[in-house]
Amino acid sequence: LVAAGVARCVSIFSMFPVDTIKTRLQMGQPNAFSFDGLYKGVGGSLFGQVPYGVLTFGSYEMYKTTFLERFPNVKPAFVYALAAICGDITGSGWLCPSEVVKQQTQAGMYASTGDAVRGIFQKKGLSGFYQGYMGGLARDVPFRVAQLVSFEITKNFYLRSKRKSGTVQGEKVNLSAVESAICGAVAGSLSAAITSPLDRIKTLLMTDSVAYGGTVGSCISKIWRDEGMAGLFQGMAPRVVYIAPSVAIFFIAYEQVQQRMSE
């Protein structure tokens, strides 16, 4: 849990400006690359993302250990996927409100996190903080499955290669910081690219739910009708640029803290 919290905090803060640019591009704003307000909403994001990371990754490790023990004959990749789904659903209830606040602040709809919280509550009440929840879940579950399964497979393959090389014989084999970054970058690039359309849907539902019909299906229909296939992938490049280093940074911190705490 501590490893997940530290890792999430470091990765979110360091890559937040790229996330802001990505959100602006997905909303079609003309000043997407402006330096003004790149860290606007970072407080609300950390307030949501750090506990979310603790809930998601902490529960993922518990689910993974439990499932591996209970289903020893099932291929590990399927176990990782099931654990990732359960872990992300566990953390989703906390994440959605902070994402709504963060993205509406990033988009310039409110001047600060506090203004966003007050404004959303005054307009829509508590339900306003959960607009786009299904869109977020539709993005986050496939993303988390792709991220964690690809990371676990890449990590296990790399560790087996190190053991076979004989260079660490007789010692406990762990990933170094550089190796964690490589495995994390592979996992982040893959998961970010394949879930980019879902991320844009989530962004639009959280920032302008009424205009896009309020559901995942209606949002897809409107994007397809107005912008075609290209509209679904708008903002993919900055998303990959944001996610790949962010995931690499996360897993460097995550693996290093875990290793220190197990010593």
Side-chain angles (χ1 to χ4, degrees):
L1 295 178
V2 173
V6 172
R8 196 70 174 172
C9 186
V10 172
S11 63
I12 291 296
F13 188 82
S14 59
M15 297 302 298
F16 193 82
V18 183
D19 184 43
T20 299
I21 292 170
K22 182 264 299 179
T23 298
R24 291 171 178 173
L25 284 171
Q26 289 179 329
M27 294 186 66
Q29 293 188 354
N31 61 338
F33 292 94
S34 170
F35 286 102
D36 184 41
L38 285 178
Y39 270 99
K40 185 181 286 186
V42 68
S45 181
L46 289 173
F47 179 75
Q49 289 283 353
V50 174
Y52 167 70
V54 172
L55 287 169
T56 299
F57 288 92
S59 62
Y60 165 74
E61 292 292 342
M62 290 187 284
Y63 287 130
K64 181 179 72 173
T65 301
T66 301
F67 293 156
L68 286 171
E69 291 174 353
R70 294 193 63 179
F71 307 108
N73 298 322
V74 176
K75 288 186 177 180
F78 292 108
V79 174
Y80 301 149
L82 181 59
I85 292 170
C86 293
D88 203 84
I89 292 174
T90 300
S92 64
W94 179 275
L95 177 66
C96 188
S98 72
E99 280 289 287
V100 172
V101 171
K102 180 200 76 171
Q103 294 205 309
Q104 293 196 16
T105 306
Q106 284 178 324
M109 298 167 69
Y110 296 98
S112 67
T113 298
D115 288 344
V117 171
R118 287 189 292 272
I120 293 168
F121 187 76
Q122 287 171 359
K123 288 180 180 178
K124 297 185 177 180
L126 190 60
S127 64
F129 294 101
Y130 284 90
Q131 57 186 348
Y133 174 77
M134 293 308 298
L137 204 61
R139 177 206 66 173
D140 290 339
V141 169
F143 172 80
R144 199 66 61 207
V145 170
Q147 178 198 50
L148 291 174
V149 171
S150 58
F151 178 77
E152 294 282 6
I153 291 174
T154 306
K155 172 185 172 181
N156 290 339
F157 175 80
Y158 198 89
L159 292 178
R160 283 198 301 272
S161 300
K162 288 183 73 173
R163 291 190 188 96
K164 288 180 180 178
S165 70
T167 55
V168 291
Q169 193 170 7
E171 300 178 11
K172 185 177 180 180
V173 183
N174 289 314
L175 293 179
S176 68
V178 173
E179 293 163 346
S180 296
I182 293 171
C183 293
V186 170
S189 299
L190 173 65
S191 54
I194 65 178
T195 59
S196 186
L198 298 173
D199 185 58
R200 188 171 188 223
I201 291 165
K202 186 267 305 182
T203 296
L204 294 174
L205 287 176
M206 286 186 171
T207 55
D208 198 359
S209 180
V210 175
Y212 287 88
T215 67
V216 174
S218 62
C219 187
I220 293 173
S221 297
K222 181 170 173 55
I223 295 171
W224 186 273
R225 188 171 58 252
D226 295 348
E227 305 173 45
M229 175 70 79
L232 291 170
F233 289 91
Q234 188 168 316
M236 184 178 75
R239 174 168 167 78
V240 173
V241 170
Y242 162 63
I243 293 289
S246 179
V247 173
I249 293 167
F250 175 87
F251 280 115
I252 290 172
Y254 188 64
E255 290 288 323
Q256 293 300 308
V257 172
Q258 276 195 322
Q259 290 170 24
R260 297 296 182 273
M261 294 183 69
S262 65
E263 291 175 355

